[in-house]
Amino acid sequence: MPLGLGRRKKASPLVENEEAEPIRAGLNVPGLDGLDGGRVSLGEGAAHEGLPPPPTSLRPRLIFHTQLAHGSPTGRIEGFSNVRELYAKIGEAFGILPTEVMFCTLNTHKVDMDKLLGGQIGLEDFIFAHVKGQRKEVEVFKGEDALGLTITDNGAGYAFIKRIREGSIIHQIQVINVGDMIESINGQILIGCRHYEVAKMLKELPKGKTFVLKLVEPMKAFDMISQRSGSRSGSAQLGTGKGTLRLRSKGPATVEELPSAFEEKAIEKVDDLLESYMGIRDSELAATMVELGKDKKNPDEFAEALDENLGDFAFPDEFVFDVWGAIGDAKSDTKQKMLRLIEFARRLLQGPCLVSL
């Protein structure tokens, strides 16, 4: 089936060897239900188009506790709608500039990439802010095509190292660690660059040449041990509630229900495709793609929705077609599972041990 007729084509910004994993500006917060069936708009442009946003007094007041990861008193923050506003609130709470915040982790002060804030945040989760620490300059000889890095960004202008592959060039340089922010490459400042731009620069560095990295490591507490490589296991599900607060880089925050069984399966399938095609794993990006595709009637409509909402990624047609198929497979699998459960329940009710009361 032809896909994406008339789609605006771009050169893909993602690269093959140096992986890039974006932290989405949208966050999810489980733990808030019972509000209009689990879906509440916190600003304009949400559930009912054309209607004004609800008064501030009627919006849920969500308060989170936070500390600086290297040690500080506990602060209380509220009233943020995206990552940049979150960092600004943290800055206000501790009297620091928002630009000092590199990234945040949930429920641990350690540099644990599996607990990186950017997926889901429970209403009772504790936010630890990692701020800039020691700067360091490292010369690296690129003896192989791939350096062994996975790059992510914080959604607010900083790209940093999420994983270091064991046995790689970077793994052999003990001074480079997971969590280090990449400030510049060969003198070119990278503040404000996205993860894929930094990964592309690293890939395009000539093999057999030495280059200079300027890095900033997060400030550490005395009991923190540098993490040389990140786990490849799936992110832990945080929070136990039935709702999520989704923060968006554009538009209002919304309180939504947790993903359905179909959505969870579809997100998992799409995330696998992202890794297969582009070398990244990003459940938030996968969730956005599932949300865009679940109500579309054909792959061309889905391709147009992706171009409109995620055009910067310039997904190839074959990838879009496979994602469309994965979403359809998830629907079919979920439907078949429900039918089997219904049949099992029917047989159970017809069994000889049934007692009517």
Side-chain angles (χ1 to χ4, degrees):
M1 179 181 295
L3 246 193
L5 299 179
R7 294 176 65 200
R8 176 169 52 88
K9 304 297 290 183
K10 298 181 181 179
S12 175
L14 296 176
V15 297
E16 296 179 358
N17 293 324
E18 300 307 328
E19 300 180 30
E21 291 195 358
I23 295 181
R24 308 299 297 170
L27 310 179
N28 292 331
V29 183
L32 192 63
D33 59 344
L35 294 175
D36 191 23
R39 186 177 296 273
V40 177
S41 167
L42 300 184
E44 61 181 320
H48 303 286
E49 295 183 4
L51 295 179
T56 303
S57 60
L58 296 181
R59 302 177 192 175
R61 184 183 181 189
L62 305 177
I63 299 175
F64 299 90
H65 293 87
T66 183
Q67 287 182 358
L68 300 181
H70 63 279
S72 75
T74 299
R76 289 158 55 94
I77 55 176
E78 61 177 306
F80 52 88
S81 296
N82 54 53
V83 171
R84 291 182 185 273
E85 291 182 6
L86 168 62
Y87 290 178
K89 293 295 184 180
I90 291 172
E92 291 176 8
F94 298 109
I96 62 174
L97 293 175
T99 52
E100 289 296 303
V101 180
M102 293 173 57
F103 55 86
C104 295
T105 51
L106 299 175
N107 303 318
T108 178
H109 65 287
K110 296 184 178 181
V111 181
D112 185 346
M113 292 294 108
D114 287 335
K115 301 297 179 64
L116 195 65
L117 187 150
Q120 291 188 338
I121 173 172
L123 291 180
E124 296 184 358
D125 285 338
F126 205 104
I127 300 174
F128 289 90
H130 297 255
V131 300
K132 293 179 182 177
Q134 180 180 350
R135 281 179 164 79
K136 48 195 177 185
E137 184 173 308
V138 186
E139 290 189 355
V140 181
F141 178 75
K142 189 175 183 182
E144 302 175 9
D145 289 327
L147 294 170
L149 290 176
T150 296
I151 308 298
T152 189
D153 63 45
N154 66 355
Y158 295 159
F160 57 93
I161 298 171
K162 183 172 185 180
R163 293 192 186 99
I164 299 174
R165 191 177 69 247
E166 291 188 13
S168 64
I169 293 174
I170 297 299
H171 188 256
Q172 299 171 26
I173 305 174
Q174 294 298 311
V175 72
I176 300 178
N177 295 297
V178 166
D180 287 353
M181 185 185 81
I182 303 177
E183 191 173 51
S184 70
I185 300 175
N186 285 338
Q188 182 172 346
I189 302 299
L190 302 179
I191 306 302
C193 291
R194 291 300 312 276
H195 62 286
Y196 58 80
E197 296 172 310
V198 176
K200 185 173 185 290
M201 287 182 61
L202 290 169
K203 180 180 183 299
E204 292 177 347
L205 291 169
K207 182 180 176 181
K209 299 286 186 179
T210 298
F211 64 95
V212 178
L213 282 177
K214 285 189 177 180
L215 307 169
V216 182
E217 67 180 35
M219 192 175 294
K220 297 181 176 69
F222 288 112
D223 64 334
M224 293 174 67
I225 301 175
S226 295
Q227 183 180 354
R228 290 293 297 153
S229 60
S231 169
R232 284 197 169 273
S233 60
S235 298
Q237 188 77 10
L238 301 174
T240 57
K242 297 181 179 180
T244 65
L245 176 67
R246 191 162 185 172
L247 306 184
R248 305 175 187 273
S249 57
K250 298 179 181 179
T254 54
V255 177
E256 304 174 352
E257 293 179 339
L258 286 174
S260 64
F262 147 68
E263 289 169 332
E264 286 184 352
K265 191 166 190 65
I267 289 168
E268 181 181 357
K269 286 177 176 287
V270 174
D271 205 16
D272 289 342
L273 286 172
L274 284 169
E275 182 175 36
S276 175
Y277 273 85
M278 300 176 182
I280 69 173
R281 291 197 72 88
D282 179 12
S283 59
E284 285 302 298
L285 176 59
T288 299
M289 298 180 75
V290 171
E291 183 178 351
L292 291 172
K294 64 183 181 181
D295 297 325
K296 298 299 181 290
K297 298 178 180 178
N298 56 63
D300 283 322
E301 286 187 8
F302 179 47
E304 291 175 4
L306 290 179
D307 278 346
E308 182 178 348
N309 293 273
L310 299 171
D312 288 344
F313 287 91
F315 298 118
D317 284 348
E318 59 270 22
F319 171 72
V320 174
F321 188 80
D322 283 351
V323 170
W324 171 258
I327 294 173
D329 289 345
K331 287 181 180 179
S332 177
D333 292 347
T334 305
K335 182 178 179 180
Q336 290 299 320
K337 185 176 181 180
M338 290 299 299
L339 290 175
R340 287 195 296 268
L341 288 174
I342 292 172
E343 177 64 16
F344 175 78
R346 184 183 66 81
R347 292 184 179 182
L348 186 64
L349 291 173
Q350 291 177 347
C353 295
L354 179 64
V355 178
S356 299
L357 298 178

